[in-house]
Amino acid sequence: MKVEVKELKPNKAVIKIEDTKPYFVNALRRIMLSELPKLAIDDVIIYDNTSALFDEIVSHRLGLVPIPTDLSLLAFRDQCVCKGKGCPNCTVRYTLSKEGEGTVFSGDLQPAEKSWAITEDKIPIVELYGEQRLILEVEAILGRGRDHAKWQSIQAPSYRMLTTIEFDKKRANDVKAFVEKLPKDLVEIKGEKILLKDIKKLPIFESYIDKENIDFISIRRDPTKVLFSFETDGSFSAKDAILESAKILENKYSEMGKLLKNLK
Ligand SMILES: [Zn+2]
């Protein structure tokens, strides 16, 4: 297998994987969605809420705030030495106290320890007017996307098979006329092939082919070469997210391997 990083930003990555199979890339995609743990607010104690929003709505909004997660420092609460009571190994606590005119932002959540400060600090929670108040305390714990969507840190992980577009050489003039009518940023003709300028725009190109009943252009997808892309909500960097997910997948394969060896 060959892996090439095409784009790597703090919250976004595009990776080209060759000599692979779609089921493998899909397994990685599903691990990212449902198995990669992250912190999310799970308990909210409201001391005072005179804002226009109900306690439940405020709590729901807090649950969706991305919290920077360092998996090397945290344990799942139900597997922790505290036996589920909640301790610094499994629980991160924040307080929030705001009164008077203005917006309450995610960044107003004050962590018990500075290292857990919220980095996505401009997410509005509620607007306060006049003398309105919001005073609360929250607990964030590790969870997985398969338990609740608030524990899903990866957005829109997807893969596309790399594509070759070929045409009937005897119809080169028709191909040229067809391509000239298309939007400028879609494709270009290079030698005996048509190249997509952006692989994500393949469905648009296909829709033009369908619309005009073109029979001299053929599209071939290669299932051994895929472009895998995803974004994170800010709980992890894109790099950490893929490395942690790969680790989880590797463990699952080795667990499966061990179980199969025990078969008689
Ligand atoms: Zn604990």
Side-chain angles (χ1 to χ4, degrees):
M1 189 185 292
K2 208 173 122 197
V3 175
E4 186 190 337
V5 178
K6 287 284 195 190
E7 187 185 340
L8 185 63
K9 290 184 181 160
N11 290 358
K12 191 182 171 208
V14 181
I15 295 163
K16 187 177 166 189
I17 309 175
E18 290 180 64
D19 289 333
T20 187
K21 293 266 163 48
Y23 71 78
F24 174 78
V25 185
N26 195 40
L28 185 61
R29 186 185 77 87
R30 296 195 61 119
I31 291 281
M32 297 186 103
L33 283 175
S34 59
E35 296 282 335
L36 178 65
K38 68 162 258 183
L39 277 174
I41 291 171
D42 197 46
D43 258 330
V44 182
I45 305 161
I46 298 195
Y47 296 110
D48 203 357
N49 174 20
T50 55
S51 77
L53 295 186
F54 293 121
D55 294 355
E56 290 84 346
I57 299 176
V58 171
S59 304
H60 177 250
R61 295 184 66 83
L62 289 169
L64 299 176
V65 170
I67 298 182
T69 303
D70 184 342
L71 292 175
S72 66
L73 298 176
L74 291 161
F76 280 96
R77 191 180 253 186
D78 57 357
Q79 295 159 13
C80 184
V81 283
C82 70
K83 291 186 178 130
K85 284 192 202 107
C87 72
N89 288 328
C90 63
T91 309
V92 181
R93 291 192 167 84
Y94 296 85
T95 52
L96 188 153
S97 174
K98 217 160 176 194
E99 186 170 359
E101 208 84 33
T103 309
V104 181
F105 289 103
S106 49
D108 292 318
L109 286 163
Q110 298 299 321
E113 265 180 65
K114 271 210 175 103
S115 56
W116 296 109
I118 308 278
T119 41
E120 299 280 333
D121 56 356
K122 287 283 175 285
I123 301 169
I125 306 296
V126 61
E127 186 94 37
L128 299 180
Y129 294 97
E131 308 277 288
Q132 289 178 346
R133 263 192 314 277
L134 184 64
I135 302 169
L136 51 82
E137 216 180 286
V138 301
E139 285 183 357
I141 59 169
L142 279 187
R144 295 187 176 98
R146 67 176 188 219
D147 301 316
H148 192 289
K150 70 180 174 183
W151 281 303
Q152 185 189 308
S153 54
I154 306 301
Q155 322 287 326
S158 65
Y159 62 90
R160 284 166 198 282
M161 293 177 218
L162 293 191
T163 311
T164 334
I165 307 169
E166 286 163 340
F167 57 82
D168 184 348
K169 277 157 233 150
K170 287 176 230 143
R171 308 276 302 266
N173 287 338
D174 292 330
V175 174
K176 204 168 160 238
F178 170 65
V179 167
E180 270 170 11
K181 277 191 287 175
L182 299 176
K184 292 270 168 292
D185 59 347
L186 202 56
V187 290
E188 59 182 333
I189 304 176
K190 257 207 176 142
E192 294 182 354
K193 283 196 175 116
I194 298 175
L195 298 181
L196 273 172
K197 291 189 180 172
D198 179 353
I199 188 171
K200 281 183 261 170
K201 291 189 175 161
L202 178 64
I204 303 176
F205 182 62
E206 283 178 312
S207 70
Y208 281 104
I209 290 186
D210 284 348
K211 195 173 143 207
E212 306 213 2
N213 274 324
I214 302 288
D215 58 358
F216 46 82
I217 293 177
S218 63
I219 297 174
R220 212 158 35 84
R221 289 177 174 80
D222 184 348
T224 66
K225 293 188 185 111
V226 300
L227 211 55
F228 181 59
S229 61
F230 64 92
E231 290 180 26
T232 82
D233 68 352
S235 313
F236 294 101
S237 67
K239 187 180 168 191
D240 286 347
I242 188 118
L243 292 178
E244 289 292 342
S245 302
K247 240 190 265 173
I248 296 169
L249 185 60
E250 199 182 338
N251 288 340
K252 280 189 184 285
Y253 275 128
S254 70
E255 213 174 295
M256 179 86 179
K258 272 183 221 153
L259 291 171
L260 288 176
K261 263 185 209 157
N262 291 336
L263 282 182
K264 283 184 185 156

